[in-house]
Every structure is written in structure tokens, then in C-alpha cells.
Amino acid sequence: MPALDRLLRPRSVTIVGASADPAKLTGRPLAYLQKYGFSGAIYPVNPRSETIAGWRCYPAISALPEPPDAAIVLLGGDKAIAAVADLAAAGTSAAIVLASGFGESGPSGEARQADLRRSAGAMRLLGPNTIGLVNVSDGIVLSASNALVNDEILAGKVALVSQSGGILGSLLSRAQATGLGFSKLVATGNEADLDVADFIAWLADDPSTAVIALYLEGLRDPDAFKSAVRHARERGKVVVAFKVGRSESGARSAASHTGALAGSDAAYDALFRQLGIVRADRYSDLIDFPLMLASGRALKGNRLAIVTSSGGAASLLADAAGLAGFETPSPDEATAAKLTALAIEGANLDRNPIDVTLAGVKSETLRTILDAVVSSPLYDAVAMVLGSSALREPKTIGTPLFECAAQTKKPVIAFASPHAPDLLRDFNVAGVPTYAAPEACAAALAALRRAGDPVRAAWSEPVAPAAPNDVSHLLKPGALNEEDSKRLFAAFGIAATRGMPVTTPESAEAAGRSFGGRVVVKVLSRQVLHKSELGGVAVGVSQVDIARTCAEMRDRFVAAARVEPEGFLVQELIEGGIEMILGLHHDPQLGPTILLGMGGIAAEIYSDTALRIVPVSREDAEGMIDELMCAPLLKGYRNRPAADVPALVDAILAFSRMAETIGGNVAEAEINPLFVLSKGRGAIAGDGLVVVKDTGSPAGRA
Amino acid sequence: MPALDRLLRPRSVTIVGASADPAKLTGRPLAYLQKYGFSGAIYPVNPRSETIAGWRCYPAISALPEPPDAAIVLLGGDKAIAAVADLAAAGTSAAIVLASGFGESGPSGEARQADLRRSAGAMRLLGPNTIGLVNVSDGIVLSASNALVNDEILAGKVALVSQSGGILGSLLSRAQATGLGFSKLVATGNEADLDVADFIAWLADDPSTAVIALYLEGLRDPDAFKSAVRHARERGKVVVAFKVGRSESGARSAASHTGALAGSDAAYDALFRQLGIVRADRYSDLIDFPLMLASGRALKGNRLAIVTSSGGAASLLADAAGLAGFETPSPDEATAAKLTALAIEGANLDRNPIDVTLAGVKSETLRTILDAVVSSPLYDAVAMVLGSSALREPKTIGTPLFECAAQTKKPVIAFASPHAPDLLRDFNVAGVPTYAAPEACAAALAALRRAGDPVRAAWSEPVAPAAPNDVSHLLKPGALNEEDSKRLFAAFGIAATRGMPVTTPESAEAAGRSFGGRVVVKVLSRQVLHKSELGGVAVGVSQVDIARTCAEMRDRFVAAARVEPEGFLVQELIEGGIEMILGLHHDPQLGPTILLGMGGIAAEIYSDTALRIVPVSREDAEGMIDELMCAPLLKGYRNRPAADVPALVDAILAFSRMAETIGGNVAEAEINPLFVLSKGRGAIAGDGLVVVKDTGSPAGRA
């Protein structure tokens, strides 16, 4: 039996440092085990007590009658470390260490945490600095948290894994008030051993769990997280995540100017997209989305019917839904006929919002209306607006609403316009996701739409890296010049503009004649990364101006960079293509990433970029393009010709393959501009920059 | 004494159709007047009663002993119209008509509403289809609303004016639960006479009101609204507005392609900006912002100190604040020294969030910490995070927090991490704005920052329209061709590219020679608005290619437009400028608007446009530029030269003057591109389009 099974469904629990006083923190775990109906054996350990709450108390861990499945360690500091060693020696499967003062509190705490980890040996460890876990489905509480003092915990299909104990408590109290039920609650704390990925992997196979909600501060093992989430998605679980630390992302940005656009939060966002995780943007989403996602319903389209007795509140909801991309079409003829046949005076039943007025707020009438609306093929979801009449007579509206919801697979939700906390909770417990904010209704429906996306082929079918080409001779440490950069890209299948490197203005003129027409002239240098900012790029130079342009360019370059350029590059002029940027960068936490952006200044001014973690699948690459605001341009905007999108997808995949093959040697790489020509004509690198790491090791993957 | 004074502070009130049964809707107004302590005279009118609740009841309005200040009409339909006529005849100052079934219910209702309006004569009218009003400051309720049945209404400095009665009730119940107090509550309903502007103007001079909160569905009289808000702003009132109908704005868009970017919601947004109104984006903002704005504090900068006993919740708040543009710097040395001198074990007092830990949650310690933080010149505002300890012992945290807040003018707010409705209400009532959502804290602080903007000079110092030039000869109904459009712009001071209209390819070639170098060639036609989409524009044409380009262009044009062009336009080529779009459009509700956008496809792809209502002040024009995402480009991005921003401002003002002078004759006007050259070199219209209305009247303002 795996250790995590024993931790989450223990047959026996030892409480090290247990107190007989349930008012004390150290008295709580035993009290909670009893209160929530734990049916296994409890072994309190405390040399100063004989029995606690009817259970025999043991003087030491070594005196326990059998190896316990799980342990709660209520001691701190060195005593916790010693207890963990004793528990491991006693054959305990897993221990929870609640104490703080470890990894989260500076270098000395980190050393203490390493000691703790070592003393656990093969025994699994939750914490330290955690409030423990609650298996709500099976009535097992392994925690000392204050948050569990009051109510019973509502059971439900949502498992919450939080890297912060305080946030777990906050969310639990909010969920209880809102009517959201949980299957499991786990605070992973410092994650000295067991981390968020371990619990996701376990929850993937938990039949009581339909939705896994995550509160994340940062991933210690991204690869384990990826495979755990993939596993959960394959088992049909929906994963929702809130990630704190979004506004500090800028600070961790790379030095390169497109790197600056792809900070750590953007990388997390990419990771979530690639794994099919529904991202929660607001803190309240972490309650609101699971309420909707746990309903087990699917949203097939974006047409919403709003049934109301209050015109004002229905406008609010229609407006919020519209902003989130939903439509609120008027009822189809057949449905409108059914509704108007009810002849409710003053009601507007052939529009949407469907205003039944107060006269329509009778259970039977409302049931007829709701059934007609929900069975209309026009609508993908139905929202009921709860006004003050619902507050006065909750059952009059609740009964027909719950009955209607029970008989359809379409999402049925409600929006409470006045302050109505009890109504909200009751309706949610009854299984109709009900919200106090119109924006929350819309956001939760949008989350349901996102959750319905098929599991992405991202990492389950990665694009196989090309056989390592022999590119080692190109990987000279430092910045490669444009020609060498393009050669490297070419080795992975990305074409480049034709060009000739020359050393003098005179030879540049000769090279220009071989291209004919107007050309591009650039300075060649390994010393300067962004040559265009130093006036080192001239586009559309006439034949007669080539030599003069080179000479002036050299003078400007020398004045600005204080170094002689290696020479010049004369290139064919590409006209009519759409200029994009394609980049490879390393996220400090999540590894190599591919960035696609609109070229020129748009990527920066408008932040029009998309990011994915390597490896990138074909579906991901297509998703990146769709995500860009400039996507319509690529697909043929107004009377412009469509661009060669398949060639752009191939270029993205080539960059991903390059990252997989030699990513360890490349600090960053960028094609700017990448000309995406019209359909069938390909994508061509117009300029390139590669910075090779000085690793001291031979190039290529081992 | 003005009628609105009598309506809001009546000495006598008649209730037409009053019932003796307070459980009935018609019984409520009298019951409410008594419950909330109305001290004036009450005259119930009902032929079937002698007295009601101790008040003598009158058989008819004509039998009243004196002209009442205010009347509540509880009758519907034709009876309401007759009662209004009788009240007017009796010399009543103002009447409130609650009944629905008027303007909101189709053409017959509109006719009924017109009758109602007529029968009121000089008497002022609130409604119909309203729930009435509440003067909370003076304890006067003129309403039959259900929402007033339960609690006392919290008094405060916020006046709420809502165009929807249902929403007024919803907000009132939410405010009561949150601890937001009101001075006045008014539902304006159908606004047959008195509208939202009338009440804003009255509230501007109400000493009990500091903040005016508006729930708007649409403005019937934008000019009255403008002057009322201006008046209120001048009197130091803060105005907050939520406008419903944002997602339907697209439907009302104009036909022209930049017009499509400037739908009605964008016009409202412009109006709010120009009037210094703080816009509420989410429904909950309409409670959250007034809570903050009514505190009477100013936010001088964007540096926020966060004091907490819970690390997780503080991260949430820091993150949300960071996303809203706030900084959370670590304490300065002097403050850090004061804090660390407290020697709280395990506390992190030299960072921000300032984590006092549970050990620091003692009233005296916390008071010392808060005082040290709030008095630090480094911080502009202080936020306290309330964890589960605050729930257990609200006074331990509340007392020092309220005392600290009372002794500073800086904003002091709180964020409640667990579900804590009572705490929230108590803290808000105590004067510390307290929120359940971290994003609400950040948004409310941002609202305070916006409210602190000086009253804009927008309409108080409008740019005087230029003396009407004689442009009447240019205003031929229909679309003007490029040359005529540019002539019109020139009359208002906007320079244009030099160009020569010609009729044949051969004469185009001759014209090109006079410019030298490469040129721009365009087709000339009044028939086609967007000639570039038909291949009617060629940029950078070499001298040798001019004639051929014209011939090909004519063929393409004829094939596409099925009409011969009038000729060709040969123009100088402008290089190096930044291409913008400047447009004049008419919003169906708010009148002429000026649109500024990034040129090319960016305006559409990235929606990078700014809008203002005519007349536009110099400050507005500068604000438009700052609002654009491409503003950094204009101001000198990276090593690029700064553009001639003052010239762009002048061009915007010229367009506004044009709209003021001949806007009645111009359906739309657009300069695309407007080349903004480098500093000191001006802004030049590269192309122009004016569509003149077929009004049949002479040009120019009467």
C-alpha cells in the first residue's frame, strides 16, 4: 500500500506531543479525529499522560504497539527532527510536521529543514510549516488548524491543495459560507518531501474528487507537476489553479528585450495552458470556479438564457456575460410561443433576458418557463436572476430551479442581486452554482468553457527532436553574429534571407549587384546584440547608395560601440511579408520557453506575444498564433492575403526542437524579424541572434 | 424654496391611494414615514378611510388643507395621471409616481407617459416606474420599497442615484451588510421629468453628501449631466459611476471603420474621464469605491505598507496591489529600527509585508507598529491584513487600527482573509475601509488615486471655436474627395502633404517631376470612401514608374468600383513620421466625439484609440495621447527621436474646433494617416475623408 494512501486514509495515527487539553493547539488533533469520526486506532505520545480522551498514551514513539500509518508531530525545532527519526525507525509510513521555523526562515532554518528531511529516511513527510490535511470524504482530520474548530466541513467533489496553510484556512471558511464542499484539503507547507505534485497524482485516482483546486506560490519540481497534472487530466479531473506572485514577474525578467516580455508569470500561464489547467485570476475564482466545475456539466456553446423577475439585475448579468464573450439571443419561435401561452401580464417572454415579472414568480409557472427555456436547442446554459422576491420566498424559486437543473445536462446557474448569503449557500448546496457578483457568473461560465477544451496533445505527444545535427562547430561561447545564428537555425530547418558577408564598402557594392534591386545592408558584429539601435541596419538601399551606406554605418557604429565591426552583410530585400519575432529563453523556474510575437515595436508596445514551455506540440504552436492579437493579420485581414501560417507553425516547432537538442548550450536565441510570406511561400529569418553559454562542455545533448 | 428642496426635505407629504394596512404596498409609505421619524405633516388621501395610523385621511386631493411639499402617488395608469393633474392644481411642489406601465412598456406606455408629464404642468415629477427616494440624513423616506422593511438604514456621506429601482434595492441591501452608510438614495426610474442630472446638481450643494454614486443605464440629457457633474466636482464632491450596457456597445457602432472602434461605451468612458468621474468597472465597485472615497482621505503616492500576521494572505494583497500599480517597498531604516526594537520572536519587521506574526497581535504592540508605519514618510497608505486571529479577537486588532487611522490623514484600509462578514461591517462602520477581496483593496485604492486628480479643465475652460471661416463652398453633401477634405482641414489649421491633382497618367508623371524623388500616387474619387482597400494608393513610387502605376491603378479601380476615377493625386512622400488616425464621429447619445489612434492596422488590431467628447480642452488632448498604448513611441521610444507632440495636440484641438463650428454639417471626418513628424516639424495630414450631411441648410453654425 503506497505511503500516500496510508497518509490520507490511515488505519492508525500517532500524535506526538499530544495534550489532554482540547483547548490547546496540541490537544486539537486528537479532538478533531474524534469529532470527525475517525474509526482507526489513535496512539497519543506524551510521557506526562497515561490516557488522553480514553486512548492509552505512550511515553515514547519506541513504545508504540505497531508501526502507525500516519503521524502528526506537534513538536518544534530539534525535538521535531528527533521525533521524525524515531517515527521512521518505528516503520511509520508518513509523518506530518506542523512546526514552522524551518526552510521559510533563512539559512539556519534551511539547514534545520535538511536535517529534518534526512532524519525521515524512507518515511514520507508532509511539511514542515503546514496545517496538515483533511480527508473530508472519509472523515479523517490530520490537523491542528483553528479553521476546523467550528462547523462540520461540507463534503463535496473538490480537492484543495494549497502551498500556504493560512490560505487553506481562508478558503475553507469562504467555501463553508458559500456552500462549496470538499473531498480533500491539503496544505503542503515547505514541501521538504511531499509536494503539490505528489498530491495531484494521488487525487487523480481518487474517486471522490472531480475537481482539483490549487493555490500555488511556486513549483519546486515542474516536471513532476507536469506529469501529475497530465495524469489527472487523463483521468477526467478538472484542474484549477491560482498562482500568486504575478506582479513581481517583471523583476525576474531576462536582460534581452523580448525576454523582458516573457517573465515568470507568463511562463506559468503558458504551463497552465499547455496542461489544460483553468487559471483563476481573482482570489474568489478559487471558490467560484470549483462551484461550477464540480457540477459535472459541459458548456457546448456560448448562448445564455437569462430568466428574471428584475429587469435591472438581469441587465447587469447580460452585460457581464456579453463582456465575457457570451451571447443572449431572444428565444426561438417555438420557445417564445410556449412562454407567451402562459399569458403573464406585463411579462416580456419573447426577449432575453426573459422577464417573468413578479407575476411569474409562482413555482408552477416558473417551472414551465424554465423547462421551456432549458429544453430549447438555442440555449447552451440558463441563468436565473434572484431578486428580493427570492429572498422572501426562497422555495418558490428554488424548488422549480433545482428540479429543472436536475433534469438537464446543461449548466443552470443563478445570480443573487440583493445581499443574500443564506440563499447563496442553500442554492449552492442544492447543486445550482449561485453567485453574488454578475462578473463571477460570467467568469465561472467561461471557466467551464475552458475546462471543456480537450486534453491538449502538448506533452502526451511531444514533437520528437530531430536527430542531433552536428552543429557543435557553430556553438562558440558568446553572442553569435547574424550569419552564424542563421546557420544554426538552418540546421533545424528554418530558412533565412539570402545574404553575403563582406568586409569593405566596395565589396558590399559588388555583392549588392548580385542581388539586383534594392537591398538590406547591416553591420556584422559579435560585440553588439541589438545593432539596429546603433544605426547598424539599413533597409531598402538602392544599388548606388550601398557603398556610401556602409561607410556611414561603420562610422556610426564605431562612434557608438567603440569597436570596429567585423564587416557588413548585404541581403536580399523581403517585401510584403508579416514581420514576427520568434525567441528561445530560459525561465528560471520552468526551463526553456518559446516566445512568438508580432514584429517591430508591436510586441513591446502592445505586449502582443505568446509563450509556451518546451517541448511545444503542433497544437500548442497553433494555439500560440491564435492567442496573438495580430492573429487576424496572419489569417488574411480585410483584403490582405493570408500568410503562410503552416510555415510559421513549422518554424515554432523547429525552435522547440532546437531547444530540446541544444537548449542546454544556448542562453537565448531570437529571430527578429521572421518574415511570414503569403500562403505557400514560407517563413524566412530576416535576422538572427544566438547567445551560446560558456559551459565548457561539448555541444549537443549527452 | 426650490422644488427639489421641498421634495427631498418636505414639511408636508400627501400619500395618494394610502392604505391603512402596513403589510400592503400602499400601506408602506406612511408606515415608513413614521418608522424613520418624519416630523412634518402627513396627508393620506383615500375616500374609503377616515384616519390612517392616527392621521386624518382626505377623500380627495382637492380637500387637502394646504398645498403639500411632496406627494407619493400610489395609483396606476389613468388614475395616476388624474392624481398628478389634481396635485399640480393643488399647488404641490413635486410628486413621486411609483407605478410602472409607462415609457418602459412600448409605444402605448410612451403615450401614457407623455400624458402624465403634461398633466404635471409646472409641478416637478419623480418617476414613473420608481421606488422613490430616501433622505437618510434627515430621516425621510418617500418610498414603498420592500428593501426598507427590515433594518434601519446606516447614515453616511454617500448619495446613491440609480436609474433602476431594483438595483437601488440591491445596492442598499449590499451596503447595509457591508457597513456603507448613505446620505440620500434616489431611484429616478423613467425620468419623465426629474432625471439623474437634477439630483446630482442638488446633491452638489448637500452638506451631508461627500460622494455621489451613480448607477446609469443611459443619459437622456447629456448636457445637463455635464453641468451638474461639473458643479458637483467644483463643490468638492467625488462622483463614481457604474454604467450598464458595455457589451452591447458594438451593436451601435457607426459604419465607418474607425467609427466602429468608438462605440457608445467608449463615448461614456470619455465623458467620465473628461468630467473626472471615477468609473466603477465591476458591480461591487459601486459599494467598494464609495467606502474608500467617503473616508475623505487623499492618496499622495503609490507606496503601500502591508501589516499582517498571516504571510499567505499578505502575499495575495501585495500581488493584487502590484498589479494595480502600487509598490510595497521595505521599511526605511528609521522605521525598521523602531519595529525591530520591539523584538517580536519570529517576526519579519524589516520587510514589506510587515509580518508581526501572531506574537505581534497584541493591542499595544500593534498600535506601536501601526503608528511607526503610518508615520513613515515612505508610505502613502497602510493596509492591515485580518486573519483568523482578528476573527477571534476583533477588538485586539480593531482598537489599535481605528485609533491609528483616526490620527492620520493617510488612507488606512484592511483586508479580511477568512470569511468574516461581521468583522467587515464593524470595521467599515468604524471608518476603516475593509474588503473581503484583495483585488477590491487594490481597486479601491486606485479609485482614490483617480479621485485625487484635479478637476479637469475640460469644459470649464473650453477652447474657443475659431471664428467660422467661410468653408461653406467646401461643404457639398456626400463624401468629399481627398483634396477637398484636406482643404477643409487646412481651414482649421491642419497642414497636409503637398499634392497635385491630375487627370491622366501622363500629367501625373509631370507632376511627380516637380516633387523629385519617390512620391505617393492615389486615385481621386468621391464615390469610394476607403480607396486603399481597392488598390487605389501606392506609396514610394519611383519617377519612372508613375505613369504605369496610374494606369494600373485606374484599371484596378474601375474593375472594383465600376466607376471611372476623377483623376489622380501625386503627392510628396513623407518618411520617418509616426502615422496616427484622427477622426470626428457622432455618438448617438453623447454627440460629436474626437478619436485619436495609432495609424495603420494597430488602431484596429490592438484597439489603440482614445476618445473624447467635443469640445476637447488642451488637457484632454494631452490625456488622449497619454492614454494610448503607443504613447511611448510618440515621446521617443528607445533611441528613436521624439515626435512633435505639441503639433499633434494642436491637430486634435483643430478637429474639436471644426466639430464645434461645422459639426452639424459633417457626418464624419478622418485624417488617416496623420504624419506626426519629429519634434518641431509638425503634424501633416497624409490623407483625408469628410462626409458632409445633406441637411439642406447653409453651412456654418447659426
Side-chain angles (χ1 to χ4, degrees), chain A residues 209-301:
Chain A
T209 298
V211 176
I212 302 173
L214 306 174
Y215 180 85
L216 300 176
E217 294 179 337
L219 293 179
R220 286 174 180 83
D221 185 348
D223 286 333
F225 179 81
K226 287 177 204 169
S227 65
V229 173
R230 233 172 13 229
H231 179 53
R233 298 282 293 144
E234 281 159 8
R235 295 299 173 100
K237 312 293 181 189
V238 181
V239 183
V240 188
F242 182 95
K243 165 76 176 63
V244 81
R246 289 169 295 171
S247 60
E248 284 163 46
S249 59
R252 289 192 296 264
S253 62
S256 148
H257 69 286
T258 54
L261 299 168
S264 199
D265 187 67
Y268 270 101
D269 204 67
L271 181 75
F272 294 163
R273 283 175 191 268
Q274 284 171 284
L275 289 171
I277 291 175
V278 178
R279 185 165 194 176
D281 286 319
R282 300 175 68 86
Y283 186 50
S284 54
D285 291 346
L286 216 35
I287 301 291
D288 294 342
F289 290 6
L291 271 174
M292 181 74 86
L293 297 168
S295 68
R297 290 156 199 261
L299 190 59
K300 307 274 187 193

Side-chain angles (χ1 to χ4, degrees), chain B residues 7 43 70 117 236 402 412 490 549 557-558:
Chain B
L7 176 61
Y43 305 127
R117 178 77 187 83
F402 305 156
V412 175
T549 301
F557 186 84
V558 171

Side-chain angles (χ1 to χ4, degrees), chain B residues 435-456:
Chain B
Y435 302 96
E439 298 87 357
C441 293
L445 281 172
L448 190 59
R449 194 173 50 193
R450 287 207 298 283
D453 289 349
V455 180
R456 304 295 296 272

Side-chain angles (χ1 to χ4, degrees), chain A residues 146 174 392 417 436 606 608, chain B residues 146 170 174 392 417 436 606 608:
Chain A
N146 231 325
R174 288 165 181 245
R392 284 195 307 276
S417 174
Y606 299 113
D608 193 11
Chain B
N146 231 326
S170 162
R174 287 165 182 245
R392 283 194 308 276
S417 174
Y606 298 112
D608 194 11

Side-chain angles (χ1 to χ4, degrees), chain A residues 146 170 173-174 245-247 282-283 319 392 416-417 419 436 439 533 601 604 606 608 637-638 640, chain B residues 146 170 173-174 245-247 282-283 319 392 416-417 419 436 439 533 601 604 606 608 637-638 640:
Chain A
N146 231 325
S170 162
S173 79
R174 288 165 181 245
R246 289 169 295 171
S247 60
R282 300 175 68 86
Y283 186 50
D319 208 20
R392 284 195 307 276
S417 174
H419 178 69
E439 298 87 357
E533 289 179 18
I601 49 117
E604 292 169 71
Y606 299 113
D608 193 11
Y637 191 69
R638 300 212 164 191
R640 294 161 205 254
Chain B
N146 231 326
S170 162
S173 79
R174 287 165 182 245
R246 288 169 296 170
S247 60
R282 300 174 69 87
Y283 185 49
D319 207 21
R392 283 194 308 276
S417 174
H419 178 69
E439 298 87 357
E533 289 178 19
I601 50 118
E604 292 169 72
Y606 298 112
D608 194 11
Y637 190 68
R638 301 211 164 191
R640 295 161 203 257

Side-chain angles (χ1 to χ4, degrees), chain A residues 82-247:
Chain A
V84 161
D86 291 348
L87 286 165
T92 311
S93 298
I96 303 173
V97 178
L98 302 182
S100 57
F102 289 88
E104 83 285 3
S105 55
S108 69
E110 281 167 27
R112 210 157 34 241
Q113 185 161 317
D115 287 345
L116 183 76
R117 177 79 186 80
R118 255 192 308 276
S119 66
M123 181 180 73
R124 302 310 301 262
L125 200 64
L126 175 60
N129 192 24
T130 174
I131 59 165
L133 63 84
V134 184
N135 176 344
V136 186
S137 340
D138 299 304
I140 303 169
V141 174
L142 302 177
S143 172
S145 172
N146 231 325
L148 305 168
V149 170
N150 296 318
D151 306 305
E152 292 288 311
I153 303 176
L154 269 174
K157 293 182 192 165
V158 178
L160 173 64
V161 184
S162 169
Q163 291 185 317
S164 156
I167 294 296
L168 186 92
S170 162
L171 289 169
L172 175 59
S173 79
R174 288 165 181 245
Q176 295 290 101
T178 315
L180 175 66
F182 289 111
S183 59
K184 311 286 182 293
L185 293 155
V186 184
T188 56
N190 287 9
E191 301 187 342
D193 171 22
L194 291 168
D195 71 1
V196 64
D198 292 301
F199 289 97
I200 295 168
W202 188 89
L203 291 163
D205 295 310
D206 178 28
S208 310
T209 298
V211 176
I212 302 173
L214 306 174
Y215 180 85
L216 300 176
E217 294 179 337
L219 293 179
R220 286 174 180 83
D221 185 348
D223 286 333
F225 179 81
K226 287 177 204 169
S227 65
V229 173
R230 233 172 13 229
H231 179 53
R233 298 282 293 144
E234 281 159 8
R235 295 299 173 100
K237 312 293 181 189
V238 181
V239 183
V240 188
F242 182 95
K243 165 76 176 63
V244 81
R246 289 169 295 171
S247 60

Side-chain angles (χ1 to χ4, degrees), chain A residues 25 35 59 99 170 186 192 215 236 271 305 412 460 496 571 577:
Chain A
L25 185 131
K35 174 182 168 190
S170 162
V186 184
Y215 180 85
L271 181 75
V412 175
S460 45
Q571 292 176 329

